[in-house]
């Protein structure tokens, strides 16, 4: 059993066999660590990560369909939750989870006009108006034809 | 922590490391990714350094009244691609992935495509997907420089002619995945490819011309998957790659005469479509490939008798093997069996199969059905007493509706078993839902659940609950057993097919209780 500690100081005891899906944890386990602090992962996110790893630990054929259903539902989260997961999965080197997260987030960007993306992700524009105009001109081809209404998440 | 979430929605995404931003942007079309450059400085930098350029299939085309036609301003579009690549070169960004569909060379000079390929090769491209938009019988040329792309992992080409480079050999030493569609290539080129692509794991050839015989050499030690689909001139295939796991061969109009598979006992999946393989060929294959888990034989018109004894086989599909007479299966782990045929139903002996077996039957019946058909059908269905579910596509004919006068001479094949039936009912057939249901209840008296799917995707599932759990009793009178009123309850697990539900209620003289059970 390995103990993980979130940034909120909550501890979780999980079997080694489940945790080796994380490249980072696997390395630490190989170096004989049994207590692993994770200062960049908060409790809420860590719980989700553990849930994911538990489901994916048992990869027998009969569970494959279940796992696919689980993955689909797992992605039904708010953007902020997905970002937290991306950070965590990146830090923990769980490539299968990242492969799942990228398209889910990309889908929310596809076909949307810039303003909609800005609203969805709360991105602050740090260009001066002249700079912004110039950039739009440089990439005029990219801005053509996006008449689609931007929708909020 | 909580206060932060209530007060402001933070821009989390921009804080992600650039490689991760590149991952998302690489999944978008280049157009969408480029648009994001106006969001903020972080995103401008991310776009400028994005090594994944997916211009996609539509870049040179536009939609006019539902059809895609070539854009008028090809020069401008060419310039955009040029600029995008040039900007990256200027900032020393190596383009790793590049996807684009181009107009054919008689509409747009091939010199542009050649130029881009040269730039990409010097940039050490890893993934290249290049397709020609118009599909006709001509093939566009490729620059020789393509063949020195030593870093290439994935190559997907469509509509080109592959010719042996004159000045140097093929240097695809990192190529893992090769997919060629509508491509012209000859045997010498294939030989050279096999010799150089030592890392090749997946090979897929579709609608390729120029090959009468294809040899997939034993030197391809990493090759796991081969797809050969409709190569119109191909007559002989010899697959010698030793560790192959998945083989899919679809012949065009049964052109393929000889198929040799000599990998060493590693094959897990085999799909054969429209090839004249013989009983002897199949028998040898099964002996040599004990790890086979998934076997699909379609249009194999020379097969007459199949006998399979395997612990590993999980999936078996037999489609349109019209001369098939006998099938004998001793396959304790078979979980999926599919049979598609016409009136000539083969004799099936299912000696052993998994209790989780799902059976899929699709009958295309054109002739008038006689008592012989029903007798054969009952024997066929009798094999599935231990199975989990039977899925039947009626194809609009009354193949499953046994006329009442014929039932006297037959025994209900699924008497005593709780079968789950799944019927795909074509509303344009010549029998009604009531007829099918009536017949099914005769065939399978202790039916467990019944799902109807009508062509328009209306779906309903019923669960049958019985008064006495073990419906054994005296068999004096069939009528007594099939008295619908003995069924205690009928639950509608899920259903949006109101017409069917009304019919069923009428037939069974019960009212359906809705959704009292959790979906099984």
């Amino acid at each position: 059993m390995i103990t993980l500690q979130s940034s909120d100081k909550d501890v979780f005891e999980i079997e080694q066999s489940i945790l080796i899906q994380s490249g980072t944890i696997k390395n630490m386990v190989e170096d004989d660590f049994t207590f692993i602090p994770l200062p960049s992962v908060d409790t809420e996110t860590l719980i989700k990560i553990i849930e994911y790893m538990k489901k994916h630990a048992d990869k027998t054929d009969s569970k494959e369909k279940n796992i696919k259903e689980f993955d689909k539902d797992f992605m039904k989260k708010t953007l902020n939750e997905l970002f937290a997961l991306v950070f965590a999965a990146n830090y923990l080197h769980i490539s299968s989870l990242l492969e799942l997260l990228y398209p889910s987030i990309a889908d929310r960007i596809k076909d949307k006009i810039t303003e909609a993306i800005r609203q969805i992700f709360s991105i602050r524009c740090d260009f001066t108006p002249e700079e912004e105009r110039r950039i739009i001109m440089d990439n005029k081809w990219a801005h053509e034809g996006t008449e689609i209404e931007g929708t909020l998440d | 922590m909580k206060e932060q979430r209530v007060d402001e929605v933070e821009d989390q995404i921009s804080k992600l490391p650039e490689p991760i931003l590149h991952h998302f942007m690489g999944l978008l079309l280049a157009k969408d990714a480029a648009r994001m450059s106006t969001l903020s400085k972080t995103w401008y930098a991310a776009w400028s350094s994005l090594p994944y350029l997916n211009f996609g299939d539509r870049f040179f085309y536009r939609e006019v009244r539902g059809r895609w036609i070539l854009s008028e301003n090809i020069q401008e579009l060419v310039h955009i691609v040029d600029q995008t690549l040039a900007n990256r070169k200027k900032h020393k960004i190596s383009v790793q992935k590049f996807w684009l569909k181009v107009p054919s060379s008689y509409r747009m000079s091939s010199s542009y495509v050649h130029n881009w390929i040269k730039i990409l090769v010097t940039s050490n491209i890893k993934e290249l997907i290049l397709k020609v938009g118009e599909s006709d019988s001509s093939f566009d040329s490729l620059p020789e420089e393509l063949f020195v792309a030593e870093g290439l992992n994935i190559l997907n080409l469509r509509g080109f002619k592959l010719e042996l480079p004159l000045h140097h050999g093929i240097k695809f030493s990192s190529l893992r995945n090769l997919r060629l569609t509508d491509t012209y290539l000859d045997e010498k080129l294939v030989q050279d490819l096999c010799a150089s692509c030592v890392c090749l794991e997946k090979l897929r050839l579709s609608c390729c011309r120029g090959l009468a015989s294809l040899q997939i050499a034993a030197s391809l030690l990493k090759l796991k998957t081969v797809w050969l689909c409709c190569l119109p001139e191909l007559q002989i295939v010899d697959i010698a790659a030793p560790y192959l796991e998945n083989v899919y061969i679809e012949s065009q109009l049964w052109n393929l005469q000889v198929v040799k598979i000599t990998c060493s006992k590693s094959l897990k999946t085999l799909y054969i479509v429209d090839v004249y393989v013989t009983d002897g060929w199949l028998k040898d294959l099964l002996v040599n490939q004990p790890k086979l888990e998934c076997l699909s034989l379609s249009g194999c018109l020379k097969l007459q008798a199949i006998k399979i004894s395997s612990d590993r086989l999980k999936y078996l599909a037999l489609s349109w093997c019209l001369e098939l007479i006998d099938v004998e299966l001793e396959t304790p782990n078979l979980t999926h069996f599919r049979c598609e045929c016409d009136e000539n139903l083969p004799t099936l002996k299912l000696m052993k199969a998994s209790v989780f077996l799902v059976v899929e039957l699709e009958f295309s019946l054109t002739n008038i059905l006689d008592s012989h058909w029903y007798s054969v059908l009952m024997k066929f269905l009798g094999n599935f007493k231990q199975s989990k579910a039977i899925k039947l596509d009626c194809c609009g004919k009354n193949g499953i509706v046994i006329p009442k006068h014929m039932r006297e001479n037959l025994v209900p094949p699924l008497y005593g078993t709780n079968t789950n039936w799944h019927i795909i009912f074509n509303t344009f057939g010549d029998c009604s839902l009531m007829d099918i249901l009536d017949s099914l209840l005769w065939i399978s008296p202790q039916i467990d659940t019944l799902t109807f799917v009508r062509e328009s995707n209306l779906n309903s599932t019923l669960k049958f609950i019985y008064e006495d759990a073990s419906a054994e009793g005296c068999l004096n009178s069939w009528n007594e057993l099939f008295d619908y009123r003995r069924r205690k309850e009928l639950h509608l697990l899920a259903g949006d097919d109101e017409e069917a539900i009304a019919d069923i209620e009428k037939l069974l003289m019960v009212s359906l209780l809705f959704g009292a059970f959790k979906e099984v």
Side-chain angles (χ1 to χ4, degrees), chain A residues 115-130:
Chain A
E115 264 320 299
I117 301 174
R118 189 168 268 138
Q119 274 191 304
I120 292 170
F121 293 116
S122 313
I123 299 173
R124 196 175 61 80
C125 179
D126 51 2
F127 290 121
T128 66
E130 302 89 63

Side-chain angles (χ1 to χ4, degrees), chain A residues 8 42 44 61 80 83 86-87 90 98 101-103 105-106 109-114 117-118 121-127 131-132 134-136 138-139 141-146, chain B residues 1 5 8-17 19-20 23-24 27-32 34-44 47 55 59 73 76-77 80 84 293 314:
Chain A
D8 306 312
D42 64 44
E44 209 182 291
D61 285 333
N80 280 333
F83 292 143
V86 172
F87 271 111
N90 182 47
L98 283 171
L101 288 162
Y102 294 142
I105 298 180
I109 302 176
K110 256 202 300 223
D111 286 340
K112 299 224 167 50
I113 55 173
T114 317
I117 301 174
R118 189 168 268 138
F121 293 116
S122 313
I123 299 173
R124 196 175 61 80
C125 179
D126 51 2
F127 290 121
E131 282 172 335
E132 193 177 351
R134 187 174 58 80
I135 292 168
I136 291 179
D138 281 347
N139 289 313
W141 61 279
H143 294 271
E144 277 166 16
T146 45
Chain B
M1 276 272 160
R5 255 166 242 136
E8 63 187 26
V9 182
E10 248 184 63
D11 172 13
Q12 300 270 22
I13 193 171
S14 303
K15 293 188 192 146
L16 290 167
I20 296 189
H23 264 110
F24 304 133
L27 290 170
L28 304 170
L29 286 176
K31 187 171 168 164
D32 293 331
R35 224 172 27 249
M36 297 184 79
S37 61
T38 51
L39 289 170
S40 74
K41 291 189 177 146
T42 309
W43 288 96
Y44 180 79
W47 159 248
F55 287 98
F59 188 71
N73 54 339
E76 262 181 58
L77 296 166
I80 291 167
T84 313
E293 289 179 8
K314 292 192 186 140

Side-chain angles (χ1 to χ4, degrees), chain B residues 62-70 72:
Chain B
R62 53 188 199 90
E63 197 175 359
V64 170
R65 286 190 291 266
R67 290 179 60 221
W68 288 91
I69 59 168
L70 195 58
E72 288 92 40

Side-chain angles (χ1 to χ4, degrees), chain B residues 489-504:
Chain B
E489 281 165 5
L490 208 50
H491 286 255
L492 182 65
L493 290 180
D496 49 10
D497 190 347
E498 289 175 7
E499 205 181 301
I501 294 170
D503 278 348
I504 294 166

Side-chain angles (χ1 to χ4, degrees), chain A residues 64-96:
Chain A
E64 234 181 81
K65 196 175 167 198
N66 282 349
I67 292 179
K68 284 208 168 105
E69 294 280 326
F70 169 84
D71 283 350
K72 225 166 91 167
D73 283 333
F74 196 69
M75 286 298 113
K76 291 182 184 158
K77 294 188 165 27
T78 67
L79 271 173
N80 280 333
E81 288 175 308
L82 290 180
F83 292 143
L85 280 169
V86 172
F87 271 111
N90 182 47
Y91 170 71
L92 291 169
H93 285 100
I94 309 174
S95 47
S96 68

